[in-house]
Amino acid sequence: MTDPLIDLSGASPLLIPPLPGERQHHRLSNGLRVALVHNPQAPVVTCALWYRAGTRDEGPQEGGAAHFLEHMMFKGSRRFGPGVVDRRTQAHGGTNNAFTSHEATAYYFSFARDRWPLALEIEADRMEALTLDPDETASERQVVLEEIAMYEGEPWDALEMKVQSELYGDHPYGKPVLGTRESLGTLGPEELRAFHRRHYRPGNAVLVVAGDLEAGHRYALERVEQTFGAIEAGAASAPFPQAAAPALGEWRRVERRRGETARLILAARVPGVLEGGDVRPSYAALQLASTVLSGGRASRLQRRLVDEGQLCSWVSSHLTEGAETATFSVSLEVLPGVSPARVEEELFAVLQELASGPPGERELERARRVQLADWVFANERIHQQAMTLGFDLILFQEDHGRRLTAASLASTPQALSAAMAEAVDPRSGGIIGWSLPES
């Protein structure tokens, strides 16, 4: 089923499809939210468990705890010892992985449709009885330290972390998800156990089971209740007070010397995606403006800086999805022999053009169709559908991504121009981060 979205000057209406499948929502007595989605498009099932626990939930002495704990969730629980999770997953022909962000941590498994309950057994056991062996903790700390060194040695990652730090200061968004060498040194089993106890509880989690539930929703719910129902709810904890992001009031420069290629990240803080619980119109418009700038080969930055200008090897713009505050950014890589100053001047010229005048309807229609295609392709597979639903439920509300896409596609040309003007307003400022050749 699809819903009409918008009519483009007599052309066929754009239709934005919902996530496929028959969906049911439940809440266990201990507070765990469960979304069951029967979608037989492929004989597989993805189980995704999301916790509302990320870098922004870390206390003053817990830098990197959320990410460190993500690692330790694979290092032993009461029923599944160190390395057993991966071995059992592979033996059953499945895949698993996890990630941590500033906002949340997610764990996911994909199995054939007759083997997915193993994922529930693993997740319930490490939610309730994570071991956090001291030797395993010390060993995994070295793995995280090596990960930090890898990020610091990679020009793009190092530049991004520096720009983010300058843009947000002591605000949680300015802190590295991996933590620092100093902060990791203070995190042992007891500190990680305290973080786990505060945040890894049923009432702070969302479980999505999506795919070919051949035995039906009822069977799936029974399996979830059998594995998670007896886990104690746990006590909710008050969030730590967050530092305010610093007022910039100007464009500030950050410069690094690394490698042989010039790289730029331009970043500015903008209001977040939500306003009074609904999608903020200016955010939705800025998302579509970002597509006008770098969505596809016909986009403005692609033409001006890459194809016609021959200044950069590639360029892209991006808008993060924070509820209260977000980051609009442009990243690019300069071709050898081209002056970085010339690239920066041309970039600001393109941004100011969109800020000072709305795009034409033909250009806007192309951007709308690119953005709609991105939504469809991003949710093509069952695994992607499960992750989208989990992200919506843990941070926003059901169908948030679809609502945001709809609001974005409905934005007017004038709204795009106004949103871009707000994003690049020099009175608000931002960070111009360069990674320049060592020579």
Side-chain angles (χ1 to χ4, degrees), residues 75 111 173 236 262 284 343 356 393 409:
K75 295 301 176 180
F111 287 108
Y173 288 172
V343 172
S356 59
L393 293 174
L409 299 186

Side-chain angles (χ1 to χ4, degrees), residues 90 179 414:
Q90 293 170 7
Q414 293 74 22

Side-chain angles (χ1 to χ4, degrees), residues 90-101:
Q90 293 170 7
H92 282 69
T95 60
N96 70 62
N97 213 329
F99 65 85
T100 305
S101 71

